[in-house]
Amino acid sequence: MTSTPTESTQRTAADEDVSQRLLDSAATLSYDPATEVDWESPLPPDAHGLNPEWSTLYGTPLWDELSAEQQVTLTRHEVCSVMSIGIWFEMILQQMILRDQYVKDPANAEFRFALTEIADECRHSIMFARACAKMEVPAYLPPPSVALLGRLFKTLASAESAYGGILVAEEVLDVMQRDWMRGENVLSIVRTTSKIHVVEESRHMKFARQEIKESLRGVGTVRRHASALLISVVANVIVTNMVQKDVYKSVGLDPERAVAAVRRNEHRKSMLRNSCVHLMDFLSEAGLLTRPAMAIYRRTNMI
């Protein structure tokens, strides 16, 4: 993802203006989780980790079998799984952004906002890690095979493929967290961390969209189709790994039975599709919603 002369000349004054406005926004509306989040207050025993409607089992007979206490425990482990996978992917995107900005002009607003985004992501990762520790939930790391795919992606992905992968992760989580931050029966610590993430990630998503548009200017059909397919594969990996199957052990469920219930959960599929509407609109506009990519998104219940 290092810069080339061709890539450099594609950036216009309008592109630079977008980056400058994002920098201005970051200067006026950013949060310090260390002081914004109430880390000291005890957690109410009946407050969920996320809105029950966002639980992977909500709407299934298995959910109805759980006691109220088990439902609370499940949602706390689910949200911490999402946070843990979020940390893993934020580490990937930080490396990709650093590589993208390698030997670019540090005077440009694009360069300065890219580093601002990395600083934001560092704070977010620390925030999520601290939230999981507060909830006394263990880290849910991706399986070794998925971790290897992530290592390959961060090393090989470039331009629109890298920023497309970033955008997918941010867009899906954004819709979820907008509900969590307003959930009256959701832990205050989750509501506050969700609010911080939503506000700051809105800038990151705009930056990713802009970088994708710039990268795709003048590219050929082969590259566009290859990038579309790669982004859809990354989306599949992210969405299917947000809640690890070991989460279900936290409430005494058989993980295989729970995963099977999730796969049949029409409510869950509907929630995922609704969370991806804006993402799919953008990918279509950018020419990244090809037939092979759409097939993967359908299989992942994103459209």
Side-chain angles (χ1 to χ4, degrees):
M1 289 176 64
T2 53
S3 179
T4 66
T6 301
E7 290 170 344
S8 298
T9 56
Q10 289 178 342
R11 189 161 182 83
T12 66
D15 297 332
E16 188 72 357
D17 181 62
V18 171
S19 296
Q20 184 58 56
R21 283 188 280 114
L22 293 174
L23 270 173
D24 295 342
S25 174
T28 58
L29 188 59
S30 292
Y31 298 96
D32 180 0
T35 56
E36 293 287 341
V37 180
D38 181 2
W39 299 109
E40 303 303 324
S41 295
L43 304 180
D46 59 344
H48 291 80
L50 45 77
N51 309 58
E53 295 80 6
W54 277 106
S55 173
T56 55
L57 290 178
Y58 186 86
T60 69
L62 206 50
W63 172 266
D64 296 331
E65 291 178 18
L66 300 176
S67 66
E69 182 180 357
Q70 286 177 308
Q71 291 173 354
V72 166
T73 300
L74 175 62
T75 59
R76 293 189 184 190
H77 280 253
E78 285 177 316
V79 78
C80 286
S81 179
V82 172
M83 289 180 176
S84 295
I85 295 300
I87 292 171
W88 165 67
F89 200 77
E90 283 181 344
M91 294 180 73
I92 290 174
L93 74 85
Q94 288 174 56
Q95 294 176 70
M96 291 193 298
I97 293 174
L98 275 174
R99 287 172 51 238
D100 185 42
Q101 296 301 316
Y102 183 63
V103 298
K104 284 190 176 180
D105 187 351
N108 288 343
E110 178 199 24
F111 178 90
R112 287 179 285 134
F113 182 77
L115 294 192
T116 299
E117 176 169 345
I118 291 170
D120 289 345
E121 299 296 4
C122 285
R123 290 197 309 276
H124 295 167
S125 293
I126 294 169
M127 175 179 73
F128 289 152
R130 194 170 177 183
C132 292
K134 178 69 175 180
M135 285 182 267
E136 299 182 339
V137 174
Y140 287 102
L141 303 178
S145 59
V146 173
L148 177 59
L149 287 174
R151 190 180 296 277
L152 292 172
F153 178 66
K154 76 175 180 61
T155 303
L156 302 175
S158 62
E160 68 277 359
S161 298
Y163 283 102
I166 291 170
L167 184 64
V168 165
E170 292 173 341
E171 286 269 11
V172 173
L173 188 55
D174 178 74
V175 175
M176 295 180 179
Q177 289 187 316
R178 286 181 186 274
D179 278 354
W180 302 350
M181 63 188 272
R182 294 187 291 261
E184 294 181 359
N185 58 346
V186 174
L187 286 166
S188 174
I189 193 172
V190 174
R191 294 201 307 269
T192 306
T193 54
S194 295
K195 173 187 173 182
I196 292 172
H197 202 246
V198 163
V199 170
E200 297 185 348
E201 289 293 333
S202 65
R203 293 190 288 265
H204 301 178
M205 289 188 290
K206 188 166 186 176
F207 184 65
R209 292 188 202 104
Q210 187 66 20
E211 293 294 314
I212 291 169
K213 291 176 182 177
E214 290 178 38
S215 298
L216 288 172
R217 287 176 190 154
V219 305
T221 302
V222 172
R223 172 172 157 179
R224 189 181 296 271
H225 279 243
S227 295
L229 184 61
L230 178 56
I231 293 168
S232 66
V233 170
V234 172
N236 176 273
V237 171
I238 293 170
V239 170
T240 56
N241 281 277
M242 292 182 79
V243 177
Q244 295 293 298
K245 71 177 184 179
D246 285 347
V247 160
Y248 305 111
K249 292 181 181 179
S250 66
V251 293
L253 292 173
D254 172 31
E256 300 301 331
R257 181 188 176 206
V259 169
V262 172
R263 287 176 181 154
R264 296 190 301 268
N265 189 352
E266 293 302 323
H267 171 79
R268 169 73 170 171
K269 295 175 184 178
S270 176
M271 296 288 278
L272 275 175
R273 284 193 292 267
N274 289 338
S275 71
C276 296
V277 170
H278 296 302
L279 171 63
M280 294 303 151
D281 286 346
F282 172 79
L283 293 177
S284 177
E285 177 188 335
L288 294 172
L289 202 56
T290 60
R291 286 187 179 181
M294 287 178 67
I296 293 176
Y297 290 128
R298 285 197 184 95
R299 190 158 58 246
T300 316
N301 301 303
M302 296 177 71
I303 55 175

